[in-house]
Structures are given as C-alpha cells and as structure tokens.
Amino acid sequence: MVKLDAKIPEGPLAQKWDNYKANQKLVNPANKRKLDIIVVGTGLAGASAAASFSEMGFNVKVFTIQDSPRRAHSIAAQGGINAAKNYPNDGDSVYRLFYDTVKGGDYRAREANVYRLAQVSNNIIDQCVAQGVPFAREYGGLLDNRSFGGAQVSRTFYAKGQTGQQLLLGAYQALMRQVHTGSVKLYTRNEMVEIVIVDGKARGIISRNLVTGKLERHFGHAVVLATGGYGNTFFLSTNAMGSNGSAAWKAYKKGAMFANPCFAQIHPTCIPVHGEFQSKLTLMSESLRNDGRIWVPKKKEDAEAIRAGKLKPTEIAEEDRDYYLERRYPAFGNLVPRDVASRAAKERCDAGYGVGPTGLAVYLDFQSAIDRLGRDVIEARYGNLFQMYEKIVDDNPYETPMMIYPAIHYTMGGIWVDYELQTTVPGLFCAGEANFSDHGANRLGASALMQGLADGYFVLPYTIQNYLADDISTPRMTTEEKEFEDAEKSAKERLDKIMSIHGKRSVDSIHKELGLVMWDFVGMARNKEGLQQAIEKIQAIKKEFWTNVRIPGSSEDMNAELEKAGRLADFIEIGELMARDALHREESCGGHFREEYQTEDGEALRRDDQFAYTACWEYKGEDQEPELHKEDLTFEVVKLVQRNYK
C-alpha cells in the first residue's frame, strides 16, 4: 500500500525551510566520497544538481540523450527568470512572489514548496551573476527587470530573449568544471531505459547508448530524474522534437506516483500552425506582452477580409480594433496569466474574429511601443525574437503585427514528490519540470527557470543528504546483481518487441494521430463526452502502434526511429492517463478547463469543496486502470478565492 507523506516541516510557513535545514541529517566529507549519485538529464535542474553534488564531494554520473549538455531544452527558454529582489522598488517581496505563484496556479499547489521556491529565488540570481550570466542591466549598473503575466510588479531578470541559453551555459560551465576534476562522469547520447530497484530502493539505471545501441548498467546510491515534461504527447508543441516523458514514465511503472497529469499549459504566444506537415511549434516569449498589445478586429467583416487576403492589419483603424485582454482584464491587461490569455484568444477565434489564413490567430502589435519608445529600444529588448519571427513567417514584425495563437508548452503535472523532492520510491528523486511540485494548475511565466535552478542548486543538495546519511555503510554494487540483470533483460525485451512488429506505419504518422486526438479532446477545453472518446481513441492508437508500426534498421546500432518509437509508446500511455485525470477532475482550474464548469463570464470555476487535492495515480499493471490517491492541499496562509485579474 502506497502512503503519501509530503514530509512538510513543522513551524510557520516562512520558517519551514530553515527548520528543515537546521534538523536535517548531514554526510561528512569523507563519507561523501563513498556515495554515488546518478543524475538523468542535463537541463537547468539536472546540470545544477550534478554540479552541486560534485562540488560537495559526492561521486556523480550524469546522463543526457544529447551530444552535449548544452543542447538540453532549457536552452530554448526566452523571456526570463523570476526572483523577489525588488530592485525596481515596486512593492515586491518573497511573500508576494509566493502568493502570485499560488494564485497563478489556481490554488492547486502545495504551500510549503512554493514558499521555499520564493525564498531561494534571490540566491539563484546571485549564483548566476557570479557565474557570469549576462543579465540585462540598467544604465546605472543594476540588473534590469521586466514584467510577466500574473504579477503587477517587475521581478523577471532576463538576458535579451536568450535567458534560458545563458542560464544553461552557466550551469553547464559549473558541470564541466566538475567533469574536468573527474568527480562527475558524463555520459552523452545515453538514454535511461529502466530504473533498477533493489530491496525497495532506487539503486541504479539501465541506459542505452544511442550511438552503439548497447545497454549498460549503472549503480547509484540515489537516482535523480531531471528530464523535463511530457508536452510532446500532443506532437505539435513548443518543445524540442527530442523532448519526451519516458524517464518519468519508467519511474511511474516502477512505483512512483504520477501527479496531476492533466495539468498541461497552453502558451498564448506561439507562431500559429501553418501546415499539416509541420513537426513543431515556435514560441514567442511572453516577455513580448510587456510592450506588445493583443487585438483582433471588432468587426467580423474586417476579420473575414483579412483572412481572405483583401485587408492588411495596418489598415484597420484604431477604433476598429478590439484589445480584448485590456477590455476584459483592465487591472492586468496583456499581462494576465497564460491560461487566461490562451482561453481569451480561443474565445475570440471561435467567435469568428480570428485572423490569418486559418482564422486561428490574433495579433500582437508593437506599433504603439515603437511610437512611444523608439524602434531602437524595442530592438534592444526583443531583437533576436523579432528576427526569429521574421525568418519563420517572412514578415517584418516592426512594420506588421505578429500573428500568435496558443499552443502546448509546459506540463505542470509530473512525478509526485514530497518536500524533499523524493518520489514514493525511496532513493528516487525528481527535479524541475519532471516533477509536479510548484506550479499547481498553471505555471506563471519565468517560473520554470526559477524552479529548475532552485531544485538543483538550493534544494536537492540539502534533501538528498538527509536520505544518503543512512546509506554511508551501503557498499557499491557490482551491477551483476539479479535486479540489474532483470532490468536489462526487461529493457532488451521491449526493444525487441518493437523491432519485431514489422508493420506499415511510420512512428511520426501514429504520433500525429495521437496529437490530433489530444489537441481536439484533451486540449484547451475539455468535456466529459470528449474525454471518454479520447480514452477510446487512444486505446485504439495503442493497439495500432503495437501491431502496425514499422521500424527500419536494427536495435544493435544507432537508430533514431527506434528511439522515437520507444518514446511514442510512452506518450500514448501518458495521453491516456492525462485524459483519465481530466475526466475525474470535475472542475476547471488553471490550464485544465472543463466546459461544464465555468463562471457566467467564461472563467475557470474551481470546486474547492471536492477537488482541493493533488491527484496521484498509481500504476497497477499493463492495460489495468490506475488507482487514484489524493494528497489534500491545506492552506494555512493563503485564502482560497476565485481568481480575479480584472
């Protein structure tokens, strides 16, 4: 019987983390050298955790599917990272960052974890500045800040539109310093395909060398998963093509709970879909909403003329433009949270006011900002983003408004972890987007980078010690043990099963079919009938995959199609669990919008009396319905109210 124990420390909310650190178990320097930690993933959470563990004296093995840690998807983050330093002196504080994050997540996050995140946020900025991250600065030399959705203060630190890249380079440098010293062993082009459990504890992994196809065994006294989210279940998303949820899914099948899988974020500021052969979507940073104004034509005939190519957006008079976010949410305007902005765009397009060839787009217009500030200022703030947009769309956003539409971006759900970031499998930890812990039903912009670095630099180095302190007498395993042998055998059998299908369909064709089902029925708006259909359709897709997929080549060498097939098999099952979770949660909150549960003016309607909990799903076996467990969410400080950004 799985027992959910969040291990939240005693004491007032603001003192819980200090109390934890004051009473945790420690490992002395000599004993740290006896202990091995495996880190899977080299994004911000994984790279920072691996570097920190090594700096402390532990022996670390770190794995990435990329040819370099620098290619982790954290590099794609654009707009910034939140912290409560209050440099603009506009009223920010640790408490306000905490409150905005809980409110932004529609009151579906654990208070203690979120408060700790806000507490350590300032340390992250100091750490990154010390590493040389080139944050934007004001004329006087202070770090600059800009605004992001869901906040009325400017707390987002940024490096032009390349913040993720610059932060990852900082973490990468810290990691490679430790690789150079020999205390971190780096495995590139290696994918974790199984977790090894010995006597109920995570004791290692089986990895597949993606160049040679060879399966390899690796021991660790503890295992940390930092492998990102599962947004590519939808096929079309803002994630890199290689981003996947397989490591988390392997953990789920080995006893780790999967929490809130239906909480997927729709980002409102993406370049619209332009064709059926498209393989991914491109994100335009939320930072653009600082100076860009979002609108559609007020008149349907104008929208129809634009869609027909008979009218240009610059020909629409100011009084004939509907700045609908400013109209509906005057207090926050264009800086409402992502879920709110996304649904508002969908509502306008569904009502017939959308633009672009498909009618599934709205405008993001910078003309008033250029008139007010000058083109040079806008170029300095967003130049690389404008350049990227022009290269993709072949349109100059300085002269013509950008076209944007919502798309799948980030997943708030993930592996359930307690306050220590430990899963329900002892010794198995989970960090960054791969876990569920900090964002509730909707992540505020610029908080992903904050959580990844908080987990890696400032949380795990404490909490993993608390676990490993009891392991200093555990000898290293040879990996010849039966548990390692069985795990490798299981991984090999799965690869052989996929290779033996010899069907007629490509991996991508089946993945696209899954993606359409997910977007149509488990996307921006959901209802009971649609979710029931989705489960049936996904089960049919699963059968089609296992009887009709075709993988060329061999499992004994490099085989990109085999890699994709293994990940797709997991996406199919993740998609079904997402639909089940969305079906059970009969309320609307954050990114989860059930059409049956909305306010009179179309906002998400929570049902706190019945659903103020984290939904945690336990794997019960192949083709068996998972079992639901609930972690009740108790709010000692925040008052549960209907979200209001008006």
Side-chain angles (χ1 to χ4, degrees), residues 254-274:
K254 281 298 179 74
M257 294 281 193
F258 209 109
N260 297 334
C262 77
F263 288 169
Q265 180 166 81
I266 314 289
H267 198 295
T269 319
C270 301
I271 297 177
V273 176
H274 62 72

Side-chain angles (χ1 to χ4, degrees), residues 42-44 47-49 51-52 55 69-70 74-75 124 127-135 162-178 453 457:
T42 59
L44 286 180
S48 60
S52 299
E55 193 81 48
R70 290 177 298 177
S74 298
I75 204 167
I124 297 170
Q127 171 92 1
C128 294
V129 169
Q131 289 174 338
V133 173
F135 287 121
Q162 308 169 358
T163 313
Q165 180 185 44
Q166 299 303 327
L167 290 172
L168 185 61
L169 287 173
Y172 167 76
Q173 289 170 161
L175 173 62
M176 295 310 292
R177 177 176 178 271
Q178 297 305 314
L453 292 179
Y457 281 137

Side-chain angles (χ1 to χ4, degrees), residues 468-618:
L468 289 174
D470 295 328
D471 247 4
I472 57 177
S473 298
T474 302
R476 292 185 174 95
M477 295 180 179
T478 65
T479 72
E480 296 300 319
E481 292 81 3
K482 186 177 186 300
E483 291 86 351
F484 282 87
E485 182 181 330
D486 290 347
E488 182 179 335
K489 181 182 177 183
S490 174
K492 178 75 165 57
E493 287 174 349
R494 186 174 192 259
L495 292 169
D496 290 343
K497 183 179 179 182
I498 293 173
M499 292 300 303
S500 68
I501 296 171
H502 301 303
K504 297 180 179 179
R505 292 188 61 180
S506 69
V507 175
D508 281 353
S509 73
I510 298 175
H511 199 169
K512 286 180 181 179
E513 184 180 345
L514 173 67
L516 286 172
V517 170
M518 294 299 297
W519 182 250
D520 290 343
F521 299 105
V522 200
M524 292 178 67
R526 305 155 177 183
N527 59 59
K528 182 177 181 179
E529 182 182 353
L531 291 166
Q532 290 171 336
Q533 285 186 55
I535 292 170
E536 293 176 4
K537 289 175 182 291
I538 293 168
Q539 289 173 342
I541 290 170
K542 181 177 180 179
K543 184 177 180 181
E544 175 73 0
F545 173 89
W546 286 107
T547 58
N548 201 25
V549 75
R550 178 180 181 274
I551 310 297
S554 160
S555 63
E556 305 299 323
D557 52 19
M558 183 183 291
N559 191 334
E561 285 300 300
L562 179 57
E563 291 173 40
K564 290 196 297 183
R567 296 165 191 169
L568 174 57
D570 296 330
F571 280 139
I572 293 169
E573 295 179 358
I574 291 171
E576 183 177 343
L577 188 63
M578 291 178 71
R580 287 189 183 280
D581 188 41
L583 183 61
H584 116 272
R585 187 170 284 275
E586 295 180 336
E587 66 165 352
S588 292
C589 55
H592 168 64
F593 191 74
R594 283 284 296 267
E595 292 173 340
E596 304 96 325
Y597 305 99
Q598 51 185 304
T599 63
E600 289 183 1
D601 52 355
E603 304 296 341
L605 180 63
R606 292 197 325 272
R607 301 174 71 195
D608 295 330
D609 58 329
Q610 296 187 49
F611 292 96
Y613 60 76
T614 298
C616 308
W617 296 91
E618 179 187 1

Side-chain angles (χ1 to χ4, degrees), residues 81-83 85 117 120-131 135 167 449-455 457-458:
I81 177 171
N82 288 330
K85 280 189 170 291
L117 176 65
V120 304
S121 66
N122 293 340
N123 297 337
I124 297 170
I125 303 305
D126 296 338
Q127 171 92 1
C128 294
V129 169
Q131 289 174 338
F135 287 121
L167 290 172
L449 305 185
M450 175 174 62
Q451 186 210 344
L453 292 179
D455 287 355
Y457 281 137
F458 299 108

Side-chain angles (χ1 to χ4, degrees), residues 136-144:
R137 293 181 181 269
E138 295 178 333
Y139 181 75
L142 284 178
L143 299 183
D144 197 12

